[in-house]
Amino acid sequence: MISRNISLVLSSGGARGMAHIGAIQEILALGLNIRNVSGSSVGALVGGILASGQLQAFSEWMCQLEKIDVFRLMDFTFSAQGFIKGDKVFNELRNFLSNKAIEDLRLPFAAVATDLLRKTPVIFREGDLFQAIRASVAIPTVLQPAKIGERLLLDGGILSPIPLNLFHPIPGDITVVVNLNANIPYQAVKIDEEQVRRSEYVHNKIIIPFKERWRNYFPENEKNNSAKMGFFDLINRSYDLTQDQLSDYMLRTHRPEVVVQVSRETCGTLEFHRAHELIEVGRHAFRTAWQDYERRAKLGEESRESTALSKEVRHKVKKHKQLNN
């Protein structure tokens, strides 16, 4: 009998975090019961919004954003701590993060950030929800760090891209991990052609000229040409490599029952205008992972039944021999 109770773990991954929404939608559509949710970086954002009961409203808002809307939410700065201040986008996100303490949410929730000076993870299981998420999503070189007291907090993905250790396992529950950094090929999903044309127009008229002014920092389109990588691209690729190694270690150590794999190649860190597409990617990835889990669970059940039957037969044969002797 497959459990209907889920312990949900949402990884870091920038804009790919919109795939978390699709995975959650599929979980709820199956009537599965999410008992707790933990998240790192964008996983903390989506998990906190889920625990606040605002996931549907957030999903609708994200899906109506076009590339220009995302661009306007980025308050660029030349600060050495991150080229986006984050004030604009977090003012918008306040609409979806209830003004509550984490311990008062409808769903047990935990987020992780990184204390840069102490070199340790910081786990938020109580206190201000907004503050916890602001700290967890502070991607190095992109978003400026969060300051809480004397602490300087950065992205949770630095030390814990897949935060599998924030809740003690509940016996009988299924741990579902949504991993946004899988080293697998990306298979594109069908999207609205008119939306693509509008996005490309904005990209060509506004965003490309802006990037030209930042040419020393932004990467060129030739992803595999190291000679043409920008400063931020080099830093972020190094960061991605570290995340990959940590993610593999966490999955090998904890061995969750279900791992939903979303390709790292799905989109760039800031491509939030592709929310509709990314949500569909998450839905598809969860269905694939869940079907695989159900198949494995069924085979395991049949194997246990076969083993039990074999033991029963051996016991009867042994008893028969004893009676004949």
Side-chain angles (χ1 to χ4, degrees):
M1 181 73 176
I2 295 177
S3 173
R4 310 299 290 176
N5 294 321
I6 297 294
S7 180
L8 184 61
V9 181
L10 305 177
S11 84
S12 59
R16 293 187 299 280
M18 298 305 97
H20 286 322
I21 297 174
I24 293 169
Q25 288 175 345
E26 285 297 300
I27 289 171
L28 299 177
L30 285 174
L32 301 174
N33 177 39
I34 300 174
R35 299 241 272 189
N36 57 63
V37 58
S38 54
S40 178
S41 193
V42 73
L45 172 64
V46 175
I49 289 173
L50 170 67
S52 298
Q54 296 293 321
L55 189 68
Q56 182 60 34
F58 177 68
S59 173
E60 291 172 359
W61 179 68
M62 288 302 305
C63 285
Q64 58 86 31
L65 290 180
E66 294 185 6
K67 189 175 288 188
I68 187 59
D69 300 313
V70 175
F71 181 78
R72 285 170 176 159
L73 287 172
M74 296 180 186
D75 39 7
F76 293 101
T77 174
F78 283 94
S79 168
Q81 292 190 336
F83 66 82
I84 297 175
K85 290 173 62 178
D87 294 344
K88 287 184 180 180
V89 67
F90 281 106
N91 284 337
E92 291 291 334
L93 291 176
R94 282 185 184 277
N95 297 323
F96 307 101
L97 297 170
S98 28
N99 188 23
K100 293 181 180 178
I102 293 172
E103 57 269 30
D104 295 332
L105 297 174
R106 61 176 65 185
L107 186 66
F109 169 72
V112 61
T114 300
D115 188 321
L116 185 63
L117 302 179
R118 293 181 175 87
K119 304 175 185 178
T120 57
V122 178
I123 300 171
F124 295 90
R125 294 192 183 91
E126 57 185 23
D128 186 87
L129 174 65
F130 181 85
Q131 195 175 57
I133 290 173
R134 174 64 182 88
S136 187
V137 302
I139 303 171
T141 75
V142 178
L143 274 172
Q144 293 187 354
K147 294 180 181 178
I148 300 180
E150 296 298 316
R151 296 186 298 182
L152 192 64
L153 302 184
L154 279 170
D155 195 284
I158 295 172
L159 294 178
S160 187
I162 301 180
L164 273 157
N165 54 352
L166 302 194
F167 283 106
H168 293 296
I170 301 174
D173 282 13
I174 299 169
T175 299
V176 175
V177 169
V178 184
N179 175 25
L180 304 177
N181 303 305
N183 287 308
I184 58 176
Y186 170 56
Q187 294 182 341
V189 298
K190 188 176 180 181
I191 55 175
D192 181 74
E193 291 299 323
E194 179 59 28
Q195 186 179 23
V196 172
R197 283 194 292 272
R198 288 197 304 269
S199 291
E200 289 307 314
Y201 173 82
V202 170
H203 185 262
N204 294 333
K205 292 292 184 181
I206 298 176
I207 296 179
I208 286 181
F210 177 84
K211 282 189 174 184
E212 282 296 313
R213 295 198 299 271
W214 284 59
R215 71 177 71 184
N216 292 328
Y217 300 100
F218 284 101
E220 300 291 334
N221 290 330
E222 299 174 44
K223 296 180 179 179
N224 296 319
N225 190 339
S226 59
K228 293 194 174 185
M229 284 187 190
F231 171 76
F232 287 118
D233 198 40
L234 287 169
I235 294 295
N236 288 331
R237 286 191 184 217
S238 302
Y239 176 54
D240 290 346
L241 180 60
T242 304
Q243 280 196 313
D244 289 348
Q245 295 298 316
L246 285 171
S247 297
D248 289 345
Y249 172 77
M250 292 295 287
L251 292 174
R252 288 197 310 269
T253 301
H254 293 273
R255 297 187 177 277
E257 287 84 357
V258 180
V259 180
V260 181
Q261 300 281 33
V262 175
S263 171
R264 178 182 285 286
E265 300 172 7
T266 302
C267 74
T269 302
L270 299 177
E271 293 187 293
F272 289 94
H273 62 280
R274 294 171 59 187
H276 180 73
E277 173 192 355
L278 296 168
I279 289 170
E280 288 304 312
V281 168
R283 294 172 68 93
H284 175 77
F286 177 80
R287 286 195 296 266
T288 300
W290 187 254
Q291 288 167 4
D292 179 65
Y293 170 70
E294 288 184 316
R295 180 185 59 79
R296 287 185 284 111
K298 184 177 180 181
L299 288 174
E301 215 169 89
E302 291 174 350
S303 177
R304 286 191 294 273
E305 289 175 358
S306 176
T307 301
L309 183 60
S310 298
K311 286 181 178 178
E312 185 180 349
V313 170
R314 288 197 299 271
H315 176 72
K316 287 181 178 180
V317 169
K318 183 178 179 181
K319 189 175 182 180
H320 178 72
K321 286 182 179 179
Q322 288 173 343
L323 290 173
N324 288 337
N325 289 335

